[in-house]
Amino acid sequence: MIWKRSAVLRFYSVCGLLLQAAASKNKVKGSQGQFPLTQNVTVVEGGTAILTCRVDQNDNTSLQWSNPAQQTLYFDDKKALRDNRIELVRASWHELSISVSDVSLSDEGQYTCSLFTMPVKTSKAYLTVLGVPGKPQISGFSSPVMEGDLMQLTCKTSGSKPAADIRWFKNDKEIKDVKYLKEEDANRKTFTVSSTLDFRVDRSDDGVAVICRVDHESLNATPQVAMQVLEIHYTPSVKIIPSTPFPQEGQPLTLTCESKGKPLPEPVLWTKDGGELPDPDRMVVSGRELNILFLNKTDNGTYRCEATNTIGQSSAEYVLIVHDPNALAGQTGPDHALIGGIVAVVVFVTLCSIFLLGRYLARHKGTYLTNEAKGAEDAPDADTAIINAEGSQVNAEEKKEYFI
């Protein structure tokens, strides 16, 4: 088989020389404008690369593709290298296109298209093969983690070419302050990339997903991700919630002890004024609730709820003051004295306004009549009084009147 392959290669080489000689004898003026055109190709490892060589002007001169090792792949439409991955796409006087399927990193390099004019003209096309990064892995997490501990997570991926980029996210928010390390793999072509994230955990981190995302041009905008859900243990937090803000004598009251912690706190412990509940018949504990039936003044005091888990203990207090129903109703009812005082002030202001307005109108009217009659009071008869009154009206424009 080897000698057959060598014979084929020698055959195409001889054909090439013969074509060169023929081209030199039948050379035309237009041959100087003939030149092969190629383009660089980038393909993802495992994909298919298409190598195309075109000639705009060709006087029936042969085209040939050869690999980085200068082995002939195709001479026109004749396959020269026995490789099932290499196939003819198109062959004509103006184009020679071939495909290389299941591309590997070893296929990367410079491919040559030759146009057998005299002299032979060539064009180079560089085939770049992208190494796909492997699925990332997160290490360094051991469950559970105690609140306040420093956590260190490392995300690693191998096989990328060029080196991949790693990004961290927590609660969908990117974390920038991370360490990045790039190492060349044994094949000296691909890279192993790792990134380390350090942070101190608290109870808000419990159940949070920390995501490591690998970005690379070979992934076609679909990054690979690894996720780690955090489990944080912390001491309980306790809060007492009353069923009513104003406990009244004779009515029931429920105090709920709301406790959160991990692990979940054990059943809570209720105490009053530092001791046991004084009246178990009326003070009934049900789970996390303390139910007090028929409140009275003796129930006043400080009630305490304690919650405990394997991490620690926490407590909360509630001061109970039992109110008299009548006094509470008086406090919460409408303030009639205040309303009455406001009404009295409004009435007083209204009456004062009416009084001042009436006095002003009365004084204004008296003054007008006095000025009008002035000058007519000393007249000997009625006609003279009218004449004097008219004169007074004429002179009234020259007078200024002031009202106080």
Side-chain angles (χ1 to χ4, degrees), residues 35 64 69 94 96 121 177 184 207 209 237 257 293 296 330 335 351 353 355 364 390 399:
F35 202 87
Q64 171 187 288
H94 296 282
L96 178 60
K121 296 177 182 179
D177 188 15
E184 192 175 56
S237 60
C257 183
L293 308 176
N296 57 55
D335 194 338
L351 292 176
S353 300
F355 174 76
H364 183 273
E390 292 177 353
K399 295 180 182 180

Side-chain angles (χ1 to χ4, degrees), residues 6-21:
S6 301
V8 171
L9 291 175
R10 284 196 300 271
F11 171 76
Y12 284 117
S13 298
V14 170
C15 289
L17 293 174
L18 293 174
L19 286 171
Q20 291 181 31

Side-chain angles (χ1 to χ4, degrees), residues 5 8-9 12 72-75 78-82:
R5 178 179 174 184
V8 171
L9 291 175
Y12 284 117
T72 301
L73 303 178
Y74 264 88
F75 188 88
K78 307 297 190 299
K79 188 173 184 178
L81 184 66
R82 188 180 297 276

Side-chain angles (χ1 to χ4, degrees), residues 230-284:
L230 305 182
E231 182 181 0
I232 312 300
H233 283 194
Y234 54 94
T235 56
S237 60
V238 183
K239 180 171 63 174
I240 297 177
I241 304 175
S243 59
T244 175
F246 299 105
Q248 300 182 34
E249 190 172 8
Q251 294 185 354
L253 174 67
T254 298
L255 300 179
T256 301
C257 183
E258 187 179 89
S259 59
K260 297 179 180 179
K262 195 157 187 183
L264 189 66
E266 300 172 358
V268 298
L269 174 65
W270 284 98
T271 59
K272 179 179 183 291
D273 297 330
E276 295 182 355
L277 298 176
D279 192 347
D281 294 333
R282 287 191 311 109
M283 300 178 178
V284 180

Side-chain angles (χ1 to χ4, degrees), residues 340-353:
I342 294 174
V343 173
V345 170
V346 172
V347 172
F348 176 75
V349 171
T350 303
L351 292 176
C352 290
S353 300

Side-chain angles (χ1 to χ4, degrees), residues 9-296:
L9 291 175
R10 284 196 300 271
F11 171 76
Y12 284 117
S13 298
V14 170
C15 289
L17 293 174
L18 293 174
L19 286 171
Q20 291 181 31
S24 62
K25 293 180 179 179
N26 301 296
K27 186 176 177 182
V28 296
K29 295 181 180 180
S31 65
Q32 297 297 326
Q34 301 177 59
F35 202 87
L37 300 175
T38 60
Q39 288 184 332
N40 294 333
V41 177
T42 299
V43 64
V44 176
E45 183 180 11
T48 299
I50 304 295
L51 299 174
T52 300
C53 180
R54 290 188 176 89
V55 180
D56 292 336
Q57 299 178 9
N58 191 358
D59 53 354
N60 299 339
T61 304
S62 296
L63 291 169
Q64 171 187 288
W65 269 113
S66 57
N67 63 14
Q70 294 304 309
Q71 296 173 315
T72 301
L73 303 178
Y74 264 88
F75 188 88
D76 286 337
D77 59 350
K78 307 297 190 299
K79 188 173 184 178
L81 184 66
R82 188 180 297 276
D83 188 337
N84 294 331
R85 301 179 306 128
I86 303 175
E87 298 291 342
L88 179 66
V89 176
R90 180 180 176 83
S92 68
W93 294 117
H94 296 282
E95 178 183 334
L96 178 60
S97 295
I98 63 174
S99 67
V100 183
S101 60
D102 193 20
V103 174
S104 64
L105 295 173
S106 61
D107 292 322
E108 183 173 270
Q110 188 168 265
Y111 289 72
T112 304
C113 174
S114 302
L115 176 65
F116 285 93
T117 57
M118 196 64 180
V120 176
K121 296 177 182 179
T122 61
S123 180
K124 308 292 185 181
Y126 197 91
L127 175 62
T128 301
V129 181
L130 301 177
V132 181
K135 184 173 178 59
Q137 301 290 332
I138 296 178
S139 60
F141 179 77
S142 58
S143 179
V145 180
M146 302 303 165
E147 183 178 25
D149 286 354
L150 183 64
M151 178 177 291
Q152 184 177 85
L153 300 178
T154 299
C155 181
K156 180 181 289 186
T157 179
S158 301
S160 60
K161 176 182 173 296
D165 184 33
I166 295 180
R167 301 166 67 186
W168 288 95
F169 294 85
K170 177 184 171 187
N171 276 340
D172 296 328
K173 182 178 180 181
E174 185 173 2
I175 303 173
K176 296 288 189 179
D177 188 15
V178 296
K179 300 174 184 177
Y180 183 84
L181 178 64
K182 179 179 69 174
E183 297 177 323
E184 192 175 56
D185 294 334
N187 59 15
R188 304 185 67 84
K189 292 179 179 293
T190 58
F191 295 89
T192 293
V193 180
S194 62
S195 178
T196 302
L197 169 66
D198 296 307
F199 64 100
R200 197 169 298 278
V201 299
D202 57 35
R203 62 187 60 199
S204 64
D205 293 321
D206 184 48
V208 169
V210 176
I211 295 176
C212 161
R213 192 175 89 180
V214 176
D215 293 323
H216 194 263
E217 54 188 300
S218 66
L219 298 176
N220 297 324
T222 305
Q224 294 189 3
V225 298
M227 182 175 65
Q228 178 64 63
V229 179
L230 305 182
E231 182 181 0
I232 312 300
H233 283 194
Y234 54 94
T235 56
S237 60
V238 183
K239 180 171 63 174
I240 297 177
I241 304 175
S243 59
T244 175
F246 299 105
Q248 300 182 34
E249 190 172 8
Q251 294 185 354
L253 174 67
T254 298
L255 300 179
T256 301
C257 183
E258 187 179 89
S259 59
K260 297 179 180 179
K262 195 157 187 183
L264 189 66
E266 300 172 358
V268 298
L269 174 65
W270 284 98
T271 59
K272 179 179 183 291
D273 297 330
E276 295 182 355
L277 298 176
D279 192 347
D281 294 333
R282 287 191 311 109
M283 300 178 178
V284 180
V285 176
S286 176
R288 302 181 183 276
E289 295 182 349
L290 170 60
N291 299 295
I292 305 177
L293 308 176
F294 308 109
L295 288 172
N296 57 55

